[in-house]
């Protein structure tokens, strides 16, 4: 893989992992538009390690100070419970990922599936956006974690968007937008880590090369950090309408181009 292409994929991954527009969809669409081969689900999962670096760096205090301290001193505190919820909320996507692995790396990467998922989840997001409540992240309970975790499992379908599905699920539960996004990002840490490490073996077998992987991860880390910071500021005073419109437009465009044979579906 050419280094410029690896850097581009890393940039796309970092910018779209946390925005509710589906990183896997863009990692499937961008190569198709450029006439490049599909990098595959494995490479896409591995460069997610860059976005893992981004989210861990952004929420370092929560992950390495507040939660560990709470687990040692006060297991009934919000931070201690949040650590448990992150584990519980990751179980659904872990089970679904192992059960559907062949489909995730095969049929579900069809551009028709990607385009359909972009449009369908846009409609769900538009509905969820109207359900925003006043609950903060400190009000999240076990049932909430399971619900949002199940929504996260849907993101195994390219085009759904892990952040889009989880933020929408949290909004339906009545969380504020910024708190819904914060919980979504934290919940993604174990899932992104597990997926990236698990898929390393497939990338190694494909002989992509260490340099493209390193470049992809590095660019994903930088752009991912910027994406988190920007989205949290944006959601403090804006709705999801721009993302809904973008998803529908992109989904319809992708399906149309694939149907016309302009890009390989």
């Amino acid at each position: 893989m050419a280094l410029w292409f690896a850097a581009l994929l890393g940039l796309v991954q970092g910018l779209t992992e946390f925005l509710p527009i589906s990183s896997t969809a863009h990692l499937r669409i961008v190569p198709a538009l450029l006439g490049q081969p599909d990098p595959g689900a494995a490479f896409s999962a591995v460069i997610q390690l860059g976005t893992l670096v981004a989210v861990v760096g952004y929420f370092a205090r929560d992950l390495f100070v507040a939660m560990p301290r709470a687990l040692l001193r006060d297991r009934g505190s919000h931070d201690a419970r949040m650590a448990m919820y992150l584990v519980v909320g990751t179980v659904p996507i872990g089970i679904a990922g192992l059960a559907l692995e062949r489909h995730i790396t095969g049929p579900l990467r069809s551009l028709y599936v990607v385009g359909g998922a972009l449009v369908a989840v846009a409609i769900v997001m538009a509905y969820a956006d109207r359900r925003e409540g006043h609950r903060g992240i400190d009000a999240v309970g076990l049932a909430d974690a399971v619900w949002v975790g199940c929504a996260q499992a849907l993101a195994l379908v390219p085009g759904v968007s892990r952040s889009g599905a989880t933020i929408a699920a949290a909004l339906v539960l009545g969380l504020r937008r910024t708190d819904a996004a914060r919980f979504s990002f934290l919940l993604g840490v174990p899932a992104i880590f597990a997926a990236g490490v698990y898929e390393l073996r497939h990338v190694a077998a494909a002989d992509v090369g260490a340099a493209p992987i390193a470049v992809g991860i590095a660019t994903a880390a930088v752009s991912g950090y910027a994406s988190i910071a920007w989205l949290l500021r944006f959601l403090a005073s804006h709705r999801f309408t721009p993302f809904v419109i973008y998803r529908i437009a992109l989904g319809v465009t992708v399906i149309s181009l694939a149907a016309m044979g302009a890009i390989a579906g």
Side-chain angles (χ1 to χ4, degrees):
M1 181 181 293
L3 292 183
W4 72 265
F5 188 49
L8 175 62
L9 293 179
L11 178 65
V12 170
Q13 166 64 32
L15 291 177
T16 59
E17 172 65 32
F18 302 108
L19 301 184
I21 55 177
S22 179
S23 61
T24 50
H26 284 77
L27 289 175
R28 178 68 179 87
I29 294 168
V30 170
L33 292 175
L34 295 176
Q36 295 290 325
D38 179 5
F43 184 80
S44 300
V46 169
I47 63 172
Q48 282 185 17
L49 293 174
T51 49
L52 175 67
V53 171
V55 71
V56 167
Y58 196 91
F59 295 106
R61 186 182 180 283
D62 298 82
L63 295 169
F64 299 122
V65 179
M67 290 182 189
R69 180 186 296 166
L71 288 171
L72 291 174
R73 298 181 181 179
D74 184 6
R75 295 187 179 180
S77 67
H78 160 70
D79 288 322
R81 287 185 285 108
M82 183 57 63
M84 179 186 70
Y85 297 156
L86 297 186
V87 175
V88 172
T90 303
V91 173
I93 195 172
I95 295 174
L98 293 174
L100 302 174
E101 182 177 7
R102 287 187 302 169
H103 300 284
I104 296 167
T105 57
L108 290 179
R109 291 186 70 79
S110 163
L111 287 178
Y112 293 103
V113 174
V114 171
L118 283 167
V119 174
V121 176
I123 296 171
V124 174
M125 285 173 55
Y127 166 75
D129 208 14
R130 298 175 179 275
R131 296 290 301 274
E132 181 192 17
H134 301 286
R135 298 176 64 201
I137 195 171
D138 57 335
V140 170
L142 180 60
D144 300 324
V146 173
W147 167 257
V148 178
C150 289
Q152 180 173 242
L154 297 176
L156 292 170
V157 178
V160 168
S161 171
R162 193 199 62 78
S163 62
T166 52
I167 293 174
L171 287 174
V172 170
L173 293 172
L175 268 71
R176 294 185 294 263
R177 285 188 190 83
T178 51
D179 291 284
R182 188 179 184 87
F183 183 54
S184 167
F185 298 158
L186 288 171
L187 184 61
V189 171
I192 294 172
F193 174 77
V197 172
Y198 181 75
E199 295 294 355
L200 273 173
R201 59 193 176 91
H202 294 303
V203 173
D207 194 27
V208 174
I213 293 174
V215 168
I217 289 176
T219 52
V222 175
S223 57
Y225 191 96
S227 178
I228 293 172
W230 179 83
L231 185 61
L232 288 176
R233 288 197 301 270
F234 178 85
L235 293 181
S237 57
H238 296 80
R239 301 177 72 91
F240 280 109
T241 304
F243 302 114
V244 170
I245 294 173
Y246 174 80
R247 288 181 65 105
I248 292 175
L250 180 61
V252 171
T253 300
V254 167
I255 293 174
S256 300
L257 290 176
M260 292 185 295
I263 55 177

